[in-house]
Amino acid sequence: MVRERKRVLAAFVIIIFFIGLSVLGLWGYASYQSTILYSYVEDVSSKVYKNNDFYVEIVAGEGWQIDGTAIGFGAQYDGYFYNKKGSELVDWSIDFVVPEESYIDSAWNGVFEKKENQIHLHAVDYNTNLSHENAITFGLVMYTSEPFTVNEIKVSGYWDRKMTSYPIFGFLMFLLVIVLVALITYLISDFRMKNMRIKQDEYKEIILQSLKTFANIIDAKDAYTKGHSLRVAKYAQEISRRMGKSVEEQERIFQISLLHDIGKIAVDDSILKKPGRLTPEELEKAKMHASTGGDILKDFTKIDGIEDGARFHHESFDGKGYPCGLAGEAIPECARIICVADAFDAMDSDRCYRNKLSREIIFKELENCSGIQFDGEIVKHMIQIIEDGFSTEDPS
Ligand SMILES: [Fe+2]
């Protein structure tokens, strides 16, 4: 569920990111059509007009008097148009305000048209594009009846600011690469983790099936104990759950319990299946299954406590059990849990020497032995489990 949410979140981030880039792209495209109307100036005394993107300078040369003509006065204007920023000017024009009776004698680097008191200069083929840090020069010679200086100028144009010229574009591209790398890394590691989890689950299942098979071998020694080890394991797991153990700990207790009677494979069938009372000598041999089980499992160190479960599950809480006579909490907890579950299931099952006991008698027996043979707290859990209707049968 959490992984599902992470995937949705990752997809969401990517989608948002691409939408952001698209919007930026459209913005960049839209700017292509933007019109600029800059450098509108009324006072040309400085003859330099600027804005943030462009720089225009017009210098009036010395005028000269033309005698005996209707016009009477001539002047040359030299212009300089500079593109300061990253924008590319793709078309441009400049307008001057001049006296109505003036006319243009000659002009260069642009096409000049005069209409009433306006001179319109627009780009010619070779200088339509004014790219970043480039400049064009232009000029004209104009005749008027009175000395005159250009005192109003208007620069128009279409500029193309490409999306890639925005610093944020580089930053977003960088982010995009980071996001893509992170996403690919995440997907690869997620895929690997998934495979690893599948493998882990397989190994766990193999271990569990092996343990259950061993348990079946143990129980097969005696028709009366068929399924005993698995039932004890299920009770022990439920007890540990109610004791507040973690899921991993519950699984460990389950596995330990499956093999608690493994030592019985070394006990003679004639003793295990004897319908009547065992002789003291036979009883001693039967009791040997605890220490033998511990010895068999001593090298099985990967499941912590599995040796203890087999060796100490017949220890008594008062110290009168076997094989070591441990008492109280000196008995490993897993062995104390198995001891109660084992006793309950033994009394709850038919044996070759008696039929199964009633629940009432079993509970009384467990309570009577609570704190003597059994750990009292575990007995309480065991009784409660049964009263709650817990079943060791598979739900199917
Ligand atoms: Fe046992």
Side-chain angles (χ1 to χ4, degrees):
M1 202 60 192
V2 173
R3 276 191 296 140
E4 214 42 55
R5 272 208 303 275
K6 275 185 187 170
R7 279 203 190 110
V8 171
L9 186 71
F12 185 70
V13 167
I14 297 297
I15 289 167
I16 291 293
F17 192 69
F18 275 106
I19 289 174
L21 270 188
S22 307
V23 168
L24 193 67
L26 288 173
W27 175 33
Y29 173 75
S31 68
Y32 180 82
Q33 291 297 337
S34 298
T35 307
I36 56 161
L37 277 174
Y38 272 125
S39 300
Y40 183 80
V41 187
E42 291 183 355
D43 176 8
V44 295
S45 55
S46 68
K47 303 184 183 68
V48 173
Y49 321 114
K50 307 177 186 178
N51 68 15
N52 284 334
D53 291 287
F54 304 104
Y55 173 106
V56 179
E57 181 180 9
I58 297 177
V59 180
E62 282 294 312
W64 63 92
Q65 189 75 44
I66 305 169
D67 294 325
T69 65
I71 298 304
F73 193 82
Q76 177 173 330
Y77 297 91
D78 288 299
Y80 177 76
F81 188 6
Y82 178 58
N83 182 359
K84 294 189 294 176
K85 286 282 180 89
S87 316
E88 189 172 350
L89 199 67
V90 292
D91 194 14
W92 55 270
S93 63
I94 300 174
D95 292 287
F96 307 94
V97 174
V98 295
E100 210 168 308
E101 69 279 11
S102 62
Y103 79 93
I104 298 166
D105 179 65
S106 59
W108 52 95
N109 281 349
V111 177
F112 288 81
E113 292 163 12
K114 180 169 177 297
K115 199 173 179 186
E116 297 177 346
N117 67 342
Q118 293 275 335
I119 289 180
H120 182 70
L121 162 66
H122 61 87
V124 289
D125 290 346
Y126 59 86
N127 62 12
T128 308
N129 265 51
L130 184 54
S131 55
H132 175 41
E133 289 194 340
N134 272 338
I136 56 164
T137 56
F138 58 89
L140 60 95
V141 172
M142 188 175 73
Y143 290 113
T144 58
S145 57
E146 296 294 331
F148 173 77
T149 306
V150 171
N151 63 5
E152 196 173 315
I153 180 168
K154 190 165 69 178
V155 180
S156 314
Y158 295 96
W159 63 339
D160 175 19
R161 173 168 279 184
K162 290 193 169 54
M163 186 175 77
T164 49
S165 71
Y166 290 90
I168 194 165
F169 179 80
F171 178 67
L172 283 176
M173 287 307 290
F174 172 72
L175 270 188
L176 178 65
V177 171
I178 296 286
V179 167
L180 284 177
V181 168
L183 184 72
I184 291 167
T185 309
Y186 170 75
L187 289 176
I188 290 172
S189 68
D190 190 51
F191 177 73
R192 283 185 178 166
M193 286 293 284
K194 211 169 172 179
N195 278 349
M196 228 162 75
R197 269 193 293 271
I198 291 170
K199 281 262 179 249
Q200 257 178 358
D201 288 348
E202 271 176 19
Y203 289 142
K204 267 170 93 170
E205 195 55 34
I206 289 169
I207 290 168
L208 197 61
Q209 285 183 1
S210 305
L211 293 175
K212 282 181 177 173
T213 305
F214 280 127
N216 289 339
I217 293 170
I218 299 160
D219 294 347
K221 288 273 288 180
D222 182 354
Y224 283 97
T225 58
K226 187 170 184 293
H228 168 72
S229 298
L230 185 58
R231 288 195 300 275
V232 169
K234 286 180 177 176
Y235 288 133
Q237 185 177 27
E238 180 61 15
I239 290 169
S240 61
R241 189 183 73 80
R242 291 180 185 229
M243 288 170 78
K245 306 285 181 199
S246 66
V247 173
E248 291 75 21
E249 190 67 359
Q250 292 169 35
E251 284 176 0
R252 190 179 70 88
I253 301 275
F254 179 82
Q255 293 167 345
I256 291 172
S257 305
L258 278 174
L259 299 193
H260 75 279
D261 266 344
I262 195 168
K264 279 186 178 174
I265 59 172
V267 179
D268 206 83
D269 280 0
S270 62
I271 296 173
L272 286 180
K273 294 178 181 175
K274 186 174 178 182
R277 267 185 100 80
L278 299 178
T279 65
E281 192 181 281
E282 288 168 337
L283 191 62
E284 282 313 306
K285 282 183 179 170
K287 283 179 172 181
M288 285 292 287
H289 82 276
S291 53
T292 305
D295 292 344
I296 289 171
L297 295 172
K298 72 179 191 311
D299 295 326
F300 201 159
T301 52
K302 284 293 176 190
I303 297 180
D304 188 33
I306 198 161
E307 179 190 344
D308 289 349
R311 192 181 295 280
F312 301 123
H313 73 277
H314 284 294
E315 295 291 355
S316 183
F317 205 66
D318 59 4
K320 293 180 180 168
Y322 62 90
C324 298
L326 299 179
E329 295 190 355
I331 305 166
E333 193 177 48
C334 63
R336 278 181 274 142
I337 293 172
I338 294 169
C339 179
V340 175
D342 184 29
F344 173 82
D345 190 68
M347 289 189 276
D348 196 43
S349 310
D350 291 330
R351 287 287 186 264
C352 55
Y353 48 89
R354 59 145 174 83
N355 289 330
K356 76 177 197 175
L357 307 178
S358 70
R359 289 284 161 89
E360 202 183 353
I361 293 173
I362 296 172
F363 287 171
K364 194 161 273 178
E365 183 64 19
L366 288 175
E367 277 165 352
N368 287 343
C369 296
S370 181
I372 301 168
Q373 185 182 351
F374 307 124
D375 182 325
E377 282 306 304
I378 295 170
V379 166
K380 279 183 200 163
H381 285 302
M382 185 70 236
I383 292 173
Q384 196 58 52
I385 285 168
I386 301 305
E387 284 181 342
D388 289 346
F390 178 82
S391 171
T392 55
E393 299 293 321
D394 281 332
S396 57

